[in-house]
Amino acid sequence: MKRRYLTVFLLLPPLSLLAEPVTLEPVTVTSTRMERPLADTPAAVTVVNADSNLRGQTRLQLDESLNRVPGLYLQNRYNFAQGLRLSSRGFGSRAPFGVRGLRLNVDGFPETLPDGQSQLDSIDLFAVEQLTVLRGPSSLFYGNATGGVVDIDTRSGKTRNDAASVSMIGGSHGLTQANVQTRGRHGPGHHALSLTALDYRGFREQSEVRKYQFTGQAGWDLADTRSMTLFLTAMDTPVARDPGGLTRQQAHQDRRQASSFAARLDAGQQVDQQRLGLHYRDEAFANGLLNARAFVSQRDFRQQLPFPGSSLIDYQRRFYGARLDYTLPFTILARPHRLLLGVDLDRQEDDRGRRAVSATGNITAVTADEDQHASAGGVFLQLDSHLSDHLMFTVGGRADRLRMTIDDALLTDGNDSGRREFEEHSYSAGLSWQVGPAHTLYTTISSAFESPTFTELANPSGSGGFNPDLEPQTALNREVGARGTLGERLFYEAALFRVDVEDEITPYQIDGRTFYQNAGKTRRDGLELGLEHATTDRLTLSLSWTWSDFRFQEFFDTQQNVDVSGNRLPGIPQHQLFAKVDWQAESGLFASVESILGSHRYAENTNRTRVGSQVLVNLRGGKAWKLNQQTLTLFAGINNLLDRDYYSNLRINANSDRPVENRGYFEPGPGTTYYSGITLDW
């Protein structure tokens, strides 16, 4: 495998001699809160164009766009009840569902709750235009995150005349998906609307999903420098079933089966969610740039987990808040500088219940009836100083306060009520050096913190309330990196980092339910490399490689009664490789082939269960026809072309109270699958 990696790296640079130079468009980054060119950003940042990367895809999950980003690891594409698991530099890999350790924003509005939990299910991939991924501790920018930031921008109608499209996709295992959208501009106003419906039976038993999504925005230019934009998203998921995890023996016997209790209890979830947001932008406010955002969202949720006991969950959530930031450019000693000041305020209110369910599916008791509230506030500042024409210094700091409360309505004595407060400070400092017009070198040091979520604070003693022994984890990141172009046609990005974490939050399970504890110390050493080569006007080669040496430094696993110091962090392969070839003909024909390789990984802290390496190859292609003002596109694809057995998800440290051979770590992915689709644009 290593020889194969080396061969690809040796072949790519000489390919830069094969074609005429290609001029790359300048890229602006907003993930760092201060709008600046990518070349001036002292951090590992990757910008992904959704249209080019999602062309001919099924658009089921974000991994279709983000697999190409070095440093990211994505799992759980096919279990919609648990959601896509996204980790950056190993942060987030412990999440049993959703996303942990990263901040997610859509059009500048947070998808991450004050307690640090994020969900991806409300994001309509047909509406996405661009994704920007910042890897590494990011508490300076948004607070309460150690893994990074994913910024998602949806399509708007600001820059084009009226346009519309209709798409339909069908494929293996009952896949049916349809989308209709329209966007355009009329004088000072613009709009963009997208509506998507998904119906998918799934590869495994008990994995059906039906989902409907709406994404819309309408904006107005109030003056040359001022604008207002209104955003509305809505999602309804009446069915998202959960097939549960299998033991290794069960997975070998029948990869398509659901776990016994998942089928018996009809495990899964029902969700509906709406969000309304307002963005005001003034590019000449007191000689600077002002951004003000306010939002409110509502989410109703009910889920049956795939095991009996205290496993039926429901909540009604309100999440609202505001963001304000102001960037002021100024000059000192004939050198340009910029100062960013900002404040974030968020509030989460959950009315949450939990019920005990028997092995036959009957509700036997109410085990929790709580109001959970989280309030988060943060103030931050950042300074960019150009020390010379080619050297920029950036420094910043942030102070956060998070308060989490539980008001228990089940017990009259209030023993299960409680409150936790966390006050944390974060900082970052970096240098970026432009070595000529085509290359940037940078170095940075930054700190971050990550609080436990409400789910993670569940008390394993069974007495209710908060776990009094669980504390936030803190991280220190040191990093050097480079980005630029070779021969004006080969774009590269590279980052070498070390992250030291204290009190890393790690999961374990008792009777199927997940609880959490602090590890003493962990260390993450890694190398991330991304290459994109415009070989010809019609052919593009892409490659990303990640080497990850993530280990426990000091940790005695009390659940397994063993010292795991020196062990690998579970769930993350040491090597990841993504390679892709894109071809586009002048006639409208296009084709892509991509390969995703991952080395072995472990399923638990003790590293007793080794999960072998896996290779996936996907192929797709199609043709577009121009018909007056319309464009008709037909496309088809084959996923897992080699029909390899693999696991789309590992349930880390699952069933840690059982013998290893009886633990349900494994969620098998499908074999070779087929799909086709049609899109009409006008």
Side-chain angles (χ1 to χ4, degrees):
M1 182 70 72
K2 291 182 179 179
R3 185 176 300 171
R4 195 178 309 169
Y5 294 155
L6 182 60
T7 300
V8 176
F9 290 136
L10 291 176
L11 286 177
L12 268 174
L15 289 173
S16 63
L17 303 175
L18 296 180
E20 294 298 322
V22 174
T23 301
L24 298 178
E25 295 294 329
V27 177
T28 299
V29 174
T30 60
S31 302
T32 55
R33 303 294 290 264
M34 184 185 291
E35 298 181 11
R36 58 156 80 99
L38 177 60
D40 288 344
T41 305
V45 178
T46 301
V47 180
V48 178
N49 180 279
D51 282 337
S52 61
N53 284 278
L54 288 173
R55 183 181 59 177
Q57 298 264 32
T58 58
R59 307 197 186 211
L60 278 180
Q61 297 277 19
L62 270 176
D63 62 310
E64 294 172 304
S65 290
L66 296 181
N67 274 326
R68 63 180 296 115
V69 180
L72 294 190
Y73 187 61
L74 300 104
Q75 295 190 89
N76 213 22
R77 184 182 189 191
Y78 298 102
N79 186 336
F80 289 84
Q82 296 294 325
L84 187 72
R85 286 178 52 201
L86 169 63
S87 64
S88 171
R89 298 183 175 177
F91 295 106
S93 62
R94 73 173 185 269
F97 56 87
V99 178
R100 286 289 289 120
L102 290 93
R103 303 294 297 193
L104 268 70
N105 304 309
V106 177
D107 294 318
F109 299 99
E111 290 290 330
T112 303
L113 298 167
D115 71 349
Q117 184 75 40
S118 306
Q119 298 292 336
L120 295 168
D121 53 4
S122 64
I123 300 171
D124 180 2
L125 295 186
F126 285 90
V128 172
E129 184 172 62
Q130 179 175 284
L131 304 98
T132 304
V133 182
L134 183 152
R135 306 182 299 281
S138 55
S139 289
L140 170 66
F141 310 117
Y142 298 101
N144 199 9
T146 48
V149 180
V150 178
D151 266 343
I152 300 172
D153 295 313
T154 63
R155 289 191 179 91
S156 75
K158 293 179 181 178
T159 59
R160 62 179 301 162
N161 298 324
D162 285 345
S165 67
V166 175
S167 299
M168 296 191 67
I169 300 173
S172 301
H173 311 305
L175 171 64
T176 304
Q177 191 164 209
N179 170 265
V180 59
Q181 54 184 282
T182 179
R183 55 195 180 278
R185 186 176 187 92
H186 296 276
H190 60 85
H191 75 279
L193 307 173
S194 175
L195 182 64
T196 301
L198 169 67
D199 192 337
Y200 182 44
R201 186 178 68 248
F203 164 67
R204 296 177 61 196
E205 299 173 0
Q206 192 68 24
S207 58
E208 177 188 3
V209 60
R210 291 200 304 274
K211 182 163 69 170
Y212 310 94
Q213 294 172 287
F214 172 80
T215 302
Q217 59 175 277
W220 301 267
D221 294 333
L222 306 178
D224 290 341
T225 61
R226 292 182 289 121
S227 64
M228 186 86 73
T229 309
L230 182 69
F231 298 83
L232 175 64
T233 62
M235 177 196 65
D236 179 29
T237 307
V239 175
R241 293 194 165 95
D242 183 358
L246 304 177
T247 67
R248 193 190 292 272
Q249 182 181 8
Q250 289 172 331
H252 287 169
Q253 289 173 344
D254 182 2
R255 299 177 59 80
R256 302 190 64 167
Q257 68 176 305
S259 67
S260 58
F261 283 119
R264 193 178 306 169
L265 300 176
D266 192 19
Q269 64 179 226
Q270 301 88 45
V271 193
D272 67 79
Q273 177 177 307
Q274 306 83 35
R275 185 190 67 205
L276 182 66
L278 185 65
H279 176 205
Y280 172 76
R281 179 183 174 94
D282 190 338
E283 299 178 12
F285 182 84
N287 298 318
L289 169 63
L290 176 70
N291 282 298
R293 292 180 172 89
F295 68 93
V296 59
S297 69
Q298 175 178 300
R299 184 177 176 96
D300 292 333
F301 178 93
R302 179 183 175 90
Q303 182 170 31
Q304 173 61 61
L305 297 173
F307 55 85
S310 184
S311 58
L312 180 59
I313 304 166
D314 67 84
Y315 63 76
Q316 293 76 48
R317 170 178 295 153
R318 283 194 302 166
F319 173 34
Y320 53 92
R323 288 180 173 179
L324 182 68
D325 59 71
Y326 172 64
T327 303
L328 176 66
F330 60 96
T331 301
I332 296 179
L333 300 176
R335 287 293 172 194
H337 309 269
R338 291 196 304 168
L339 179 66
L340 170 68
L341 302 170
V343 59
D344 297 335
L345 298 172
D346 292 333
R347 174 76 170 175
Q348 171 187 352
E349 298 175 352
D350 289 4
D351 180 4
R352 184 177 291 264
R354 197 170 189 123
R355 293 166 176 79
V357 177
S358 69
T360 58
N362 296 318
I363 297 175
T364 58
V366 177
T367 57
D369 184 5
E370 302 170 337
D371 288 329
Q372 300 179 347
H373 295 167
S375 299
V379 294
F380 59 93
L381 61 86
Q382 186 177 349
L383 176 67
D384 279 3
S385 294
H386 286 270
L387 305 180
S388 71
D389 291 341
H390 305 290
L391 186 64
M392 191 188 75
F393 174 66
T394 180
V395 64
R398 179 180 174 113
D400 283 281
R401 183 178 182 183
L402 172 64
R403 183 175 66 181
M404 305 170 70
T405 63
I406 289 180
D407 294 325
D408 177 61
L410 188 60
L411 299 179
T412 56
D413 60 6
N415 287 339
D416 286 354
S417 299
R419 183 173 71 177
R420 296 290 302 270
E421 291 189 5
F422 308 111
E423 293 186 1
E424 302 288 343
H425 298 83
S426 309
Y427 67 86
S428 178
L431 279 172
S432 59
W433 177 33
Q434 291 195 22
V435 186
H439 307 279
T440 299
L441 304 178
Y442 72 85
T443 182
T444 185
I445 182 171
S446 56
S447 68
F449 78 97
E450 188 174 313
S451 76
T453 67
F454 277 115
T455 300
E456 292 168 348
L457 279 167
N459 198 334
S461 69
S463 61
F466 287 125
N467 181 351
D469 300 322
L470 192 62
E471 297 295 332
Q473 67 181 36
T474 58
L476 178 65
N477 178 71
R478 287 147 290 179
E479 181 175 336
V480 294
R483 68 175 65 89
T485 58
L486 296 172
E488 298 185 354
R489 299 180 289 81
L490 176 63
F491 174 79
Y492 70 90
E493 57 176 319
L496 178 67
F497 64 88
R498 167 169 288 181
V499 187
D500 289 315
V501 183
E502 295 194 7
D503 294 326
E504 176 117 20
I505 300 172
T506 61
Y508 63 94
Q509 282 193 350
I510 299 176
D511 295 329
R513 186 175 176 185
T514 304
F515 298 97
Y516 296 83
Q517 61 184 339
N518 292 112
K521 295 181 180 179
T522 64
R523 170 168 289 176
R524 291 166 163 83
D525 292 323
L527 172 64
E528 301 163 351
L529 177 65
L531 301 170
E532 183 170 315
H533 184 262
T535 308
T536 70
D537 291 342
R538 304 298 177 189
L539 183 65
T540 302
L541 308 179
S542 304
L543 178 76
S544 66
W545 174 60
T546 304
W547 170 74
S548 308
D549 186 18
F550 302 161
R551 296 183 181 273
F552 294 106
Q553 293 294 105
E554 299 176 11
F555 180 40
F556 186 86
D557 189 331
T558 56
Q559 299 306 308
Q560 303 301 308
N561 196 32
V562 63
D563 187 349
V564 298
S565 300
N567 284 10
R568 292 253 306 274
L569 268 62
I572 302 294
Q574 190 169 28
H575 296 279
Q576 301 173 66
L577 180 68
F578 173 89
K580 181 181 178 184
V581 179
D582 275 315
W583 174 73
Q584 169 79 57
E586 191 172 351
S587 63
L589 284 168
F590 63 89
S592 297
V593 59
E594 66 183 23
S595 179
I596 306 166
L597 300 89
S599 61
H600 72 272
R601 49 197 163 134
Y602 296 98
E604 70 281 278
N605 295 342
T606 58
N607 290 181
R608 294 180 62 186
T609 304
R610 186 180 189 272
V611 183
S613 60
Q614 62 186 40
V615 179
L616 293 177
V617 177
N618 303 322
L619 175 67
R620 58 185 176 273
K623 181 174 173 57
W625 290 270
K626 294 285 187 181
L627 309 169
N628 296 323
Q629 299 298 315
Q630 296 82 37
T631 300
L632 176 67
T633 304
L634 299 178
F635 59 91
I638 306 174
N639 288 332
N640 194 2
L641 180 66
L642 304 180
D643 199 25
R644 296 292 184 92
D645 289 344
Y646 74 102
Y647 299 112
S648 66
N649 185 44
L650 288 182
R651 299 194 175 207
I652 305 302
N653 288 325
N655 314 124
S656 52
D657 54 337
R658 302 180 189 172
V660 172
E661 62 273 11
N662 294 331
R663 297 178 185 176
Y665 295 135
F666 304 99
E667 294 194 48
T672 301
T673 58
Y674 306 88
Y675 65 90
S676 61
I678 181 172
T679 299
L680 179 63
D681 295 280
W682 68 92

